[in-house]
Amino acid sequence: MYPAQLRPARSPRAARFALAALLLGAVGALPGAPLQAREMPEAGSATEARKPNVVILATGGTIAGAGADASNSATYQAAKVPVDKLIAAVPAMANVANVRGEQVFQIASESFTDAQLIQLGKRVSQLLKQDDVDGVVITHGTDTLEETALFLNLVVRSDKPIVVVGSMRPSTAISADGALNLLDAVTAASSKEAVGKGVLVTMNDYIQAGRDVTKRTNIVPSAFSSQWGPLGMVVEGKTYFFRAPYKRHNTSSEFDIDTIDSLPLVAIVYGSGNMFPGAYTAAVDAGAKAIVNAGTGNGSVPGYLVDTLKDVRQKGTLVIRSSRVGDGFVLRNAEQPDDKYDWVVAHDFNPQKAKILAAVALTKTSDTKELQRIFWEY
Ligand SMILES: NC(=O)C[C@H](N)C(=O)O
């Protein structure tokens, strides 16, 4: 047996094969693929000194998905493979960190509720307070990964690396992307440069800011990007950062998961032509404390619905103008007189991210000036 530092490492590509082979073995499909050797990481990589301790919190998703056949890249069951198998399938992680896993949930991320978000946030916070934990990786479905990444960015008061990772193809698929994404996540979570950078997302070789990143296509491994660009890349077990986040996050945040036990209901109403008032009033009737208007263009509100939204606000529910466009940002008093109607604008947060920020902000204040400040600052 080699000492840990001298053990032959596997290339990311080999790691990918290894995961597919292991999991296909588990579901009775293809035989394993050969593994290649890889040189030791270069000087300056995370493995040089003491290896960091990284905990992988597994929540399910496609990264833990399994299909009937290697050709099934889109038809499969999410949340099948347990964390121990995910770890065993990427032995190259042992070159960058001492890794252990915890199975927090085993669900597809579209099934996440606030209860899961809070439970996960509290566990991340608890772990990062421990001296023997240097970073946390969360394996997650990609559908709501961007919401969880933003949530943790807002509420976990720690500078230690937090990396959220998923995959677009199940572990059993040809050219599955999960193993490399996971190796990259552990590499980022082990990296000193990741300290204080906010929650990160490693997908498709890139390191993205959890605040900004969004899922833009539903099929290919390059699904995640941000209008403000990635922060860097992970290449062969080493992180390369080129930018740092500017907005308030984690230790500079005024929110703290340790004091949050529930989140208020926030609804999103999707803008289009030919809308109807009931979409908004139903949200109020359901108890929504805020409605994010995923408006057309500049977060616009149809003229025939302005009175409905003024009424919604007067009755106590907040109105937050975001845009269904995806990129760009909504300006105050552009298209609609927000000051006059006491509405808030979501700045550059897309509707699903605006929903998370609104819910978190509402745990502290329902004052619209304060909420608007929060939307500018985070
Ligand atoms: N690629 C994925 O992970 C999609 C899956 N529906 C999930 O979010 O769990």
Side-chain angles (χ1 to χ4, degrees), residues 60-64 76 78-79 107-111 140-145 166-170 203 215 218 224:
T62 296
I63 194 165
Y76 58 89
I107 56 173
S109 73
E110 60 269 27
S111 301
H140 201 290
T142 55
D143 283 9
T144 63
L145 187 150
S167 77
M168 293 301 292
R169 295 183 180 138
M203 298 282 294
K215 183 175 182 177
N218 67 330
F224 280 75

PDB file of all heavy atoms in Angstrom, residues 60-64 76 78-79 107-111 140-145 166-170 203 215 218 224, ligand 1:
ATOM      1  N   GLY A  60     -28.866  14.051  -3.168  1.00  0.00           N
ATOM      2  CA  GLY A  60     -29.565  13.361  -4.265  1.00  0.00           C
ATOM      3  C   GLY A  60     -29.277  14.008  -5.599  1.00  0.00           C
ATOM      4  O   GLY A  60     -28.161  14.419  -5.862  1.00  0.00           O
ATOM      5  N   GLY A  61     -30.272  14.087  -6.452  1.00  0.00           N
ATOM      6  CA  GLY A  61     -30.106  14.694  -7.774  1.00  0.00           C
ATOM      7  C   GLY A  61     -29.567  13.716  -8.797  1.00  0.00           C
ATOM      8  O   GLY A  61     -29.345  12.526  -8.514  1.00  0.00           O
ATOM      9  N   THR A  62     -29.302  14.234  -9.973  1.00  0.00           N
ATOM     10  CA  THR A  62     -28.814  13.407 -11.081  1.00  0.00           C
ATOM     11  C   THR A  62     -27.394  12.922 -10.835  1.00  0.00           C
ATOM     12  O   THR A  62     -26.997  11.865 -11.324  1.00  0.00           O
ATOM     13  CB  THR A  62     -28.902  14.226 -12.385  1.00  0.00           C
ATOM     14  OG1 THR A  62     -30.270  14.500 -12.621  1.00  0.00           O
ATOM     15  CG2 THR A  62     -28.329  13.490 -13.574  1.00  0.00           C
ATOM     16  N   ILE A  63     -26.632  13.678 -10.084  1.00  0.00           N
ATOM     17  CA  ILE A  63     -25.261  13.238  -9.775  1.00  0.00           C
ATOM     18  C   ILE A  63     -25.309  11.898  -9.028  1.00  0.00           C
ATOM     19  O   ILE A  63     -24.369  11.117  -9.079  1.00  0.00           O
ATOM     20  CB  ILE A  63     -24.485  14.332  -8.992  1.00  0.00           C
ATOM     21  CG1 ILE A  63     -22.991  14.026  -8.965  1.00  0.00           C
ATOM     22  CG2 ILE A  63     -25.053  14.548  -7.597  1.00  0.00           C
ATOM     23  CD1 ILE A  63     -22.120  15.195  -8.548  1.00  0.00           C
ATOM     24  N   ALA A  64     -26.429  11.638  -8.386  1.00  0.00           N
ATOM     25  CA  ALA A  64     -26.654  10.332  -7.741  1.00  0.00           C
ATOM     26  C   ALA A  64     -27.718   9.552  -8.503  1.00  0.00           C
ATOM     27  O   ALA A  64     -28.400   8.696  -7.945  1.00  0.00           O
ATOM     28  CB  ALA A  64     -27.087  10.549  -6.293  1.00  0.00           C
ATOM     29  N   TYR A  76     -33.764   8.502 -16.693  1.00  0.00           N
ATOM     30  CA  TYR A  76     -33.115   7.824 -15.572  1.00  0.00           C
ATOM     31  C   TYR A  76     -33.860   8.207 -14.309  1.00  0.00           C
ATOM     32  O   TYR A  76     -34.765   9.052 -14.332  1.00  0.00           O
ATOM     33  CB  TYR A  76     -31.644   8.285 -15.450  1.00  0.00           C
ATOM     34  CG  TYR A  76     -31.536   9.784 -15.259  1.00  0.00           C
ATOM     35  CD1 TYR A  76     -31.560  10.345 -13.987  1.00  0.00           C
ATOM     36  CD2 TYR A  76     -31.478  10.641 -16.355  1.00  0.00           C
ATOM     37  CE1 TYR A  76     -31.510  11.719 -13.813  1.00  0.00           C
ATOM     38  CE2 TYR A  76     -31.424  12.020 -16.183  1.00  0.00           C
ATOM     39  CZ  TYR A  76     -31.444  12.553 -14.907  1.00  0.00           C
ATOM     40  OH  TYR A  76     -31.411  13.902 -14.738  1.00  0.00           O
ATOM     41  N   ALA A  78     -33.329   9.998 -10.695  1.00  0.00           N
ATOM     42  CA  ALA A  78     -32.414  10.803  -9.866  1.00  0.00           C
ATOM     43  C   ALA A  78     -32.377  10.191  -8.459  1.00  0.00           C
ATOM     44  O   ALA A  78     -33.250   9.393  -8.091  1.00  0.00           O
ATOM     45  CB  ALA A  78     -32.896  12.242  -9.819  1.00  0.00           C
ATOM     46  N   ALA A  79     -31.352  10.598  -7.695  1.00  0.00           N
ATOM     47  CA  ALA A  79     -31.293  10.279  -6.263  1.00  0.00           C
ATOM     48  C   ALA A  79     -31.363   8.779  -5.970  1.00  0.00           C
ATOM     49  O   ALA A  79     -32.243   8.309  -5.263  1.00  0.00           O
ATOM     50  CB  ALA A  79     -32.402  11.034  -5.540  1.00  0.00           C
ATOM     51  N   ILE A 107     -33.037  13.046  -2.641  1.00  0.00           N
ATOM     52  CA  ILE A 107     -34.191  13.523  -3.422  1.00  0.00           C
ATOM     53  C   ILE A 107     -33.721  14.242  -4.693  1.00  0.00           C
ATOM     54  O   ILE A 107     -32.584  14.701  -4.777  1.00  0.00           O
ATOM     55  CB  ILE A 107     -35.080  14.509  -2.597  1.00  0.00           C
ATOM     56  CG1 ILE A 107     -34.259  15.703  -2.076  1.00  0.00           C
ATOM     57  CG2 ILE A 107     -35.799  13.801  -1.478  1.00  0.00           C
ATOM     58  CD1 ILE A 107     -35.098  16.790  -1.412  1.00  0.00           C
ATOM     59  N   ALA A 108     -34.638  14.328  -5.642  1.00  0.00           N
ATOM     60  CA  ALA A 108     -34.389  15.180  -6.810  1.00  0.00           C
ATOM     61  C   ALA A 108     -34.583  16.624  -6.341  1.00  0.00           C
ATOM     62  O   ALA A 108     -35.429  16.889  -5.478  1.00  0.00           O
ATOM     63  CB  ALA A 108     -35.367  14.836  -7.921  1.00  0.00           C
ATOM     64  N   SER A 109     -33.825  17.548  -6.899  1.00  0.00           N
ATOM     65  CA  SER A 109     -33.833  18.887  -6.305  1.00  0.00           C
ATOM     66  C   SER A 109     -35.127  19.656  -6.568  1.00  0.00           C
ATOM     67  O   SER A 109     -35.422  20.618  -5.867  1.00  0.00           O
ATOM     68  CB  SER A 109     -32.622  19.690  -6.755  1.00  0.00           C
ATOM     69  OG  SER A 109     -32.730  20.088  -8.091  1.00  0.00           O
ATOM     70  N   GLU A 110     -35.920  19.241  -7.560  1.00  0.00           N
ATOM     71  CA  GLU A 110     -37.208  19.898  -7.748  1.00  0.00           C
ATOM     72  C   GLU A 110     -38.131  19.645  -6.548  1.00  0.00           C
ATOM     73  O   GLU A 110     -39.123  20.340  -6.361  1.00  0.00           O
ATOM     74  CB  GLU A 110     -37.880  19.449  -9.060  1.00  0.00           C
ATOM     75  CG  GLU A 110     -38.170  17.970  -9.199  1.00  0.00           C
ATOM     76  CD  GLU A 110     -37.025  17.190  -9.854  1.00  0.00           C
ATOM     77  OE1 GLU A 110     -35.861  17.618  -9.742  1.00  0.00           O
ATOM     78  OE2 GLU A 110     -37.314  16.143 -10.472  1.00  0.00           O
ATOM     79  N   SER A 111     -37.800  18.640  -5.738  1.00  0.00           N
ATOM     80  CA  SER A 111     -38.626  18.316  -4.574  1.00  0.00           C
ATOM     81  C   SER A 111     -38.141  19.014  -3.295  1.00  0.00           C
ATOM     82  O   SER A 111     -38.682  18.771  -2.216  1.00  0.00           O
ATOM     83  CB  SER A 111     -38.643  16.798  -4.354  1.00  0.00           C
ATOM     84  OG  SER A 111     -39.143  16.162  -5.502  1.00  0.00           O
ATOM     85  N   HIS A 140     -25.984  17.847  -5.268  1.00  0.00           N
ATOM     86  CA  HIS A 140     -27.339  18.427  -5.342  1.00  0.00           C
ATOM     87  C   HIS A 140     -27.871  18.229  -6.755  1.00  0.00           C
ATOM     88  O   HIS A 140     -27.113  18.276  -7.740  1.00  0.00           O
ATOM     89  CB  HIS A 140     -27.191  19.931  -5.061  1.00  0.00           C
ATOM     90  CG  HIS A 140     -28.421  20.646  -4.616  1.00  0.00           C
ATOM     91  ND1 HIS A 140     -29.490  20.883  -5.460  1.00  0.00           N
ATOM     92  CD2 HIS A 140     -28.743  21.199  -3.431  1.00  0.00           C
ATOM     93  CE1 HIS A 140     -30.420  21.561  -4.797  1.00  0.00           C
ATOM     94  NE2 HIS A 140     -29.995  21.764  -3.561  1.00  0.00           N
ATOM     95  N   GLY A 141     -29.166  18.083  -6.881  1.00  0.00           N
ATOM     96  CA  GLY A 141     -29.776  18.101  -8.207  1.00  0.00           C
ATOM     97  C   GLY A 141     -29.600  19.477  -8.823  1.00  0.00           C
ATOM     98  O   GLY A 141     -29.435  20.482  -8.109  1.00  0.00           O
ATOM     99  N   THR A 142     -29.612  19.535 -10.133  1.00  0.00           N
ATOM    100  CA  THR A 142     -29.307  20.815 -10.775  1.00  0.00           C
ATOM    101  C   THR A 142     -30.530  21.733 -10.922  1.00  0.00           C
ATOM    102  O   THR A 142     -30.367  22.930 -11.128  1.00  0.00           O
ATOM    103  CB  THR A 142     -28.701  20.590 -12.172  1.00  0.00           C
ATOM    104  OG1 THR A 142     -29.591  19.786 -12.940  1.00  0.00           O
ATOM    105  CG2 THR A 142     -27.344  19.931 -12.079  1.00  0.00           C
ATOM    106  N   ASP A 143     -31.739  21.156 -10.801  1.00  0.00           N
ATOM    107  CA  ASP A 143     -32.932  21.989 -11.041  1.00  0.00           C
ATOM    108  C   ASP A 143     -33.006  23.193 -10.108  1.00  0.00           C
ATOM    109  O   ASP A 143     -33.339  24.293 -10.535  1.00  0.00           O
ATOM    110  CB  ASP A 143     -34.212  21.152 -10.891  1.00  0.00           C
ATOM    111  CG  ASP A 143     -34.469  20.269 -12.098  1.00  0.00           C
ATOM    112  OD1 ASP A 143     -33.588  20.168 -12.967  1.00  0.00           O
ATOM    113  OD2 ASP A 143     -35.566  19.676 -12.174  1.00  0.00           O
ATOM    114  N   THR A 144     -32.749  22.976  -8.833  1.00  0.00           N
ATOM    115  CA  THR A 144     -32.833  24.093  -7.870  1.00  0.00           C
ATOM    116  C   THR A 144     -31.479  24.347  -7.201  1.00  0.00           C
ATOM    117  O   THR A 144     -31.427  24.966  -6.138  1.00  0.00           O
ATOM    118  CB  THR A 144     -33.906  23.830  -6.790  1.00  0.00           C
ATOM    119  OG1 THR A 144     -33.521  22.666  -6.039  1.00  0.00           O
ATOM    120  CG2 THR A 144     -35.281  23.612  -7.401  1.00  0.00           C
ATOM    121  N   LEU A 145     -30.426  23.886  -7.830  1.00  0.00           N
ATOM    122  CA  LEU A 145     -29.078  24.072  -7.276  1.00  0.00           C
ATOM    123  C   LEU A 145     -28.772  25.561  -7.072  1.00  0.00           C
ATOM    124  O   LEU A 145     -28.170  25.962  -6.079  1.00  0.00           O
ATOM    125  CB  LEU A 145     -28.073  23.422  -8.233  1.00  0.00           C
ATOM    126  CG  LEU A 145     -26.620  23.322  -7.813  1.00  0.00           C
ATOM    127  CD1 LEU A 145     -25.972  22.088  -8.436  1.00  0.00           C
ATOM    128  CD2 LEU A 145     -25.818  24.541  -8.208  1.00  0.00           C
ATOM    129  N   GLY A 166     -23.458  19.443  -8.972  1.00  0.00           N
ATOM    130  CA  GLY A 166     -24.426  18.485  -9.503  1.00  0.00           C
ATOM    131  C   GLY A 166     -23.893  17.907 -10.792  1.00  0.00           C
ATOM    132  O   GLY A 166     -22.710  18.033 -11.117  1.00  0.00           O
ATOM    133  N   SER A 167     -24.762  17.280 -11.527  1.00  0.00           N
ATOM    134  CA  SER A 167     -24.367  16.803 -12.856  1.00  0.00           C
ATOM    135  C   SER A 167     -25.588  16.828 -13.751  1.00  0.00           C
ATOM    136  O   SER A 167     -26.718  16.830 -13.275  1.00  0.00           O
ATOM    137  CB  SER A 167     -23.790  15.386 -12.793  1.00  0.00           C
ATOM    138  OG  SER A 167     -24.829  14.441 -12.663  1.00  0.00           O
ATOM    139  N   MET A 168     -25.325  16.854 -15.020  1.00  0.00           N
ATOM    140  CA  MET A 168     -26.419  16.870 -15.980  1.00  0.00           C
ATOM    141  C   MET A 168     -26.745  15.474 -16.478  1.00  0.00           C
ATOM    142  O   MET A 168     -27.821  15.227 -16.996  1.00  0.00           O
ATOM    143  CB  MET A 168     -26.074  17.792 -17.149  1.00  0.00           C
ATOM    144  CG  MET A 168     -25.983  19.259 -16.738  1.00  0.00           C
ATOM    145  SD  MET A 168     -27.522  19.867 -16.028  1.00  0.00           S
ATOM    146  CE  MET A 168     -28.591  19.827 -17.475  1.00  0.00           C
ATOM    147  N   ARG A 169     -25.770  14.560 -16.350  1.00  0.00           N
ATOM    148  CA  ARG A 169     -26.011  13.180 -16.782  1.00  0.00           C
ATOM    149  C   ARG A 169     -25.935  12.264 -15.577  1.00  0.00           C
ATOM    150  O   ARG A 169     -25.103  12.490 -14.683  1.00  0.00           O
ATOM    151  CB  ARG A 169     -24.951  12.763 -17.803  1.00  0.00           C
ATOM    152  CG  ARG A 169     -25.047  13.571 -19.076  1.00  0.00           C
ATOM    153  CD  ARG A 169     -24.033  13.103 -20.103  1.00  0.00           C
ATOM    154  NE  ARG A 169     -24.163  13.896 -21.308  1.00  0.00           N
ATOM    155  CZ  ARG A 169     -23.161  14.370 -22.016  1.00  0.00           C
ATOM    156  NH1 ARG A 169     -21.910  14.135 -21.642  1.00  0.00           N
ATOM    157  NH2 ARG A 169     -23.365  15.084 -23.095  1.00  0.00           N
ATOM    158  N   PRO A 170     -26.750  11.224 -15.559  1.00  0.00           N
ATOM    159  CA  PRO A 170     -26.675  10.290 -14.431  1.00  0.00           C
ATOM    160  C   PRO A 170     -25.336   9.564 -14.426  1.00  0.00           C
ATOM    161  O   PRO A 170     -24.646   9.489 -15.459  1.00  0.00           O
ATOM    162  CB  PRO A 170     -27.831   9.321 -14.716  1.00  0.00           C
ATOM    163  CG  PRO A 170     -28.051   9.396 -16.183  1.00  0.00           C
ATOM    164  CD  PRO A 170     -27.717  10.809 -16.585  1.00  0.00           C
ATOM    165  N   MET A 203     -19.176  23.178 -12.097  1.00  0.00           N
ATOM    166  CA  MET A 203     -19.825  22.401 -13.148  1.00  0.00           C
ATOM    167  C   MET A 203     -19.042  22.612 -14.431  1.00  0.00           C
ATOM    168  O   MET A 203     -18.680  23.755 -14.758  1.00  0.00           O
ATOM    169  CB  MET A 203     -21.264  22.872 -13.377  1.00  0.00           C
ATOM    170  CG  MET A 203     -22.214  22.726 -12.205  1.00  0.00           C
ATOM    171  SD  MET A 203     -22.850  21.059 -11.923  1.00  0.00           S
ATOM    172  CE  MET A 203     -23.843  20.761 -13.373  1.00  0.00           C
ATOM    173  N   LYS A 215     -29.061  27.798 -14.093  1.00  0.00           N
ATOM    174  CA  LYS A 215     -29.156  26.685 -15.056  1.00  0.00           C
ATOM    175  C   LYS A 215     -29.827  27.224 -16.309  1.00  0.00           C
ATOM    176  O   LYS A 215     -30.968  27.669 -16.268  1.00  0.00           O
ATOM    177  CB  LYS A 215     -29.974  25.543 -14.447  1.00  0.00           C
ATOM    178  CG  LYS A 215     -30.083  24.320 -15.332  1.00  0.00           C
ATOM    179  CD  LYS A 215     -30.816  23.184 -14.610  1.00  0.00           C
ATOM    180  CE  LYS A 215     -30.891  21.938 -15.477  1.00  0.00           C
ATOM    181  NZ  LYS A 215     -31.524  20.807 -14.779  1.00  0.00           N
ATOM    182  N   ASN A 218     -31.453  22.529 -20.226  1.00  0.00           N
ATOM    183  CA  ASN A 218     -31.868  21.386 -19.404  1.00  0.00           C
ATOM    184  C   ASN A 218     -31.223  20.069 -19.813  1.00  0.00           C
ATOM    185  O   ASN A 218     -31.569  19.035 -19.278  1.00  0.00           O
ATOM    186  CB  ASN A 218     -33.393  21.252 -19.430  1.00  0.00           C
ATOM    187  CG  ASN A 218     -33.893  20.865 -20.809  1.00  0.00           C
ATOM    188  OD1 ASN A 218     -33.275  21.225 -21.799  1.00  0.00           O
ATOM    189  ND2 ASN A 218     -34.994  20.157 -20.871  1.00  0.00           N
ATOM    190  N   PHE A 224     -24.719  25.330 -16.831  1.00  0.00           N
ATOM    191  CA  PHE A 224     -24.650  26.403 -15.827  1.00  0.00           C
ATOM    192  C   PHE A 224     -23.733  27.535 -16.260  1.00  0.00           C
ATOM    193  O   PHE A 224     -22.586  27.315 -16.649  1.00  0.00           O
ATOM    194  CB  PHE A 224     -24.166  25.839 -14.491  1.00  0.00           C
ATOM    195  CG  PHE A 224     -25.277  25.155 -13.733  1.00  0.00           C
ATOM    196  CD1 PHE A 224     -25.729  23.914 -14.126  1.00  0.00           C
ATOM    197  CD2 PHE A 224     -25.878  25.772 -12.648  1.00  0.00           C
ATOM    198  CE1 PHE A 224     -26.774  23.295 -13.455  1.00  0.00           C
ATOM    199  CE2 PHE A 224     -26.917  25.166 -11.968  1.00  0.00           C
ATOM    200  CZ  PHE A 224     -27.367  23.919 -12.374  1.00  0.00           C
TER     201      PHE A 224
HETATM  202  N1  LIG B   1     -29.678  17.214 -13.466  1.00  0.00           N
HETATM  203  C1  LIG B   1     -30.426  17.120 -12.378  1.00  0.00           C
HETATM  204  O1  LIG B   1     -29.888  16.994 -11.305  1.00  0.00           O
HETATM  205  C2  LIG B   1     -31.904  17.251 -12.561  1.00  0.00           C
HETATM  206  C3  LIG B   1     -32.768  16.621 -11.503  1.00  0.00           C
HETATM  207  N2  LIG B   1     -34.137  16.801 -11.868  1.00  0.00           N
HETATM  208  C4  LIG B   1     -32.577  17.254 -10.127  1.00  0.00           C
HETATM  209  O2  LIG B   1     -32.562  18.449 -10.008  1.00  0.00           O
HETATM  210  O3  LIG B   1     -32.472  16.550  -9.163  1.00  0.00           O
END
